[in-house]
Amino acid sequence: MNDTPNDKPGPWRVMVAGAGAIGCLLAARLAAAGHAVDLLARGRGAQALREHGITLHDLDGTWRVTAGHHSAGLRVLHTPLSAAPEGGPPDLLLLCSKSQDLLALAEAVAPAIGPHTLVLPLVNGVPFWFFHGQGGRFDGRAVQAVDPGGRLLRLLPLPQLLGAVVFITAECTSPGQVQARNPHLLMLGEPAGGLSPRLARVAAMLEAAGIATRPLERIRDKLWTKLVANLTSNPLSVVTRTTLHTIYSDPVLLDTVRAVMHEALLVAAAHGARLEIDPIEFVQLGAAMGAVRTSMLQDFERGRPLELAAIGEAVVELAGLYQLPMPATRTLLSQAAWHAQRRLADAA
């Protein structure tokens, strides 16, 4: 298990690959905390970030970070990289993208990864590393829905990988302009399980920057909790064009929510997850989120590809390994895909 060299007090070198809402939010908080942050962006987005920096509005106030050449602060770099950035490889690489874009992003930043760079993918859904370090008869298997042919497993240095479950909601109103109306929370863990010094150091660094971070001994347990939440809400939000409050409170929609939830919980149990989900409380908490539009609904409204593979198809793939039928989930995913295809056809 490789460890980060940054085990001493002082600024970290952090690379944030992906300048969407989550990437800009993390880059702003880390740069404001005094770390040397390289934010990777493309095209006109990179130019806008260089000129105007990042403005983040969150529950702690407004954070404005300007870009420049730094020993600490924010620097904006273009992707793809042809070599490690000036100053050497980062201590920590944050991969912030939609799951379907992760391979291209990983290929674009691969030259920056050094022998001690910790790699932390921050993506929704079933992660490509799901079977890495797990043990058992599926150990080392690729999840084909999110990593066809296991290309990510071969590209990224698995001994330097940490797992994450992201509980951050944010939205970009324009390049570098970010709104976040809920607390920032990350759950981190070693794919092989247990607590490690490097896990504790990364968590402490993020926590000090204002990102509530919890190191977990069993990262997949919390991952399944998030998967159940995503699977019951994201595709249904596309089909119904409505918010979390309506999804989890409307009696008609609750029939679908409960059917999908029960199927997902069975798959989680088959894969050894220890979940503490009270189905009644789960629905109540979902409704209490209020008039929140899911990230998938936002993507749908903007004509962007949907994360159906990571959030839905991968769960169905995991169910198939234990021959578990998922009729309600399959139907919901097919309906969401139909709406996405219809929108593309209408736009064309």
Side-chain angles (χ1 to χ4, degrees), residues 65-344:
V65 180
T66 57
H69 298 284
H70 66 80
S71 56
L74 178 69
R75 180 172 61 178
V76 178
L77 303 178
H78 275 279
T79 58
L81 296 176
S82 58
E86 181 183 349
D91 300 315
L92 177 65
L93 170 62
L94 303 176
L95 296 170
C96 306
S97 73
K98 299 294 184 180
S99 58
Q100 63 265 22
D101 300 325
L102 184 59
L103 177 60
L105 184 65
E107 289 174 338
V109 303
I113 301 175
H116 298 288
T117 299
L118 290 182
V119 180
L120 184 60
L122 302 172
V123 294
N124 265 335
V126 177
F128 73 92
W129 52 261
F130 183 84
F131 291 114
H132 167 59
Q134 188 178 29
R137 62 192 175 105
F138 300 128
D139 188 50
R141 182 188 184 98
V143 182
Q144 295 299 320
V146 294
D147 187 20
R151 294 173 66 186
L152 279 165
L153 288 176
R154 294 191 299 272
L155 176 64
L156 295 173
L158 297 180
Q160 296 165 229
L161 186 77
L162 291 176
V165 185
V166 183
F167 294 93
I168 298 176
T169 56
E171 187 171 355
C172 269
T173 56
S174 62
Q177 306 298 304
V178 183
Q179 297 274 353
R181 299 180 178 88
N182 292 307
H184 315 316
L185 174 61
L186 293 176
M187 304 283 191
L188 305 185
E190 294 282 356
L195 299 175
S196 65
R198 70 181 190 178
L199 179 62
R201 287 198 293 273
V202 173
M205 186 273 285
L206 292 169
E207 183 82 29
I211 311 296
T213 308
R214 307 286 180 266
L216 302 177
E217 288 192 65
R218 293 172 51 90
I219 185 67
R220 289 174 185 79
D221 292 349
K222 190 57 67 175
L223 172 64
W224 274 109
T225 300
K226 179 75 180 294
L227 284 171
V228 174
N230 278 338
L231 189 59
T232 56
S233 62
N234 278 261
L236 192 53
S237 72
V238 170
V239 172
T240 62
R241 316 288 207 279
T242 193
T243 65
L244 291 180
H245 174 76
T246 302
I247 287 170
Y248 289 109
S249 63
D250 186 289
V252 174
L253 301 184
L254 277 176
D255 286 342
T256 298
V257 168
R258 292 189 177 109
V260 172
M261 174 175 58
H262 292 152
E263 290 177 358
L265 289 174
L266 184 58
V267 180
H271 283 275
R274 302 173 188 169
L275 302 186
E276 298 178 355
I277 292 180
D278 178 329
I280 295 176
E281 184 181 10
F282 177 84
V283 168
Q284 292 172 340
L285 290 173
M289 292 292 289
V292 173
R293 293 155 52 248
T294 69
S295 60
M296 187 175 287
L297 179 56
Q298 293 177 44
D299 286 340
F300 175 82
E301 292 173 343
R302 293 168 181 168
R304 296 173 178 170
L306 306 185
E307 289 186 290
L308 289 172
I311 287 175
E313 294 164 18
V315 178
V316 173
E317 180 182 333
L318 296 185
L321 296 177
Y322 287 100
Q323 300 181 357
L324 298 174
M326 300 190 77
T329 301
R330 289 177 182 271
T331 298
L332 178 59
L333 293 175
S334 296
Q335 291 173 343
W338 182 88
H339 281 278
Q341 292 166 0
R342 181 65 179 269
R343 183 176 178 84
L344 287 175

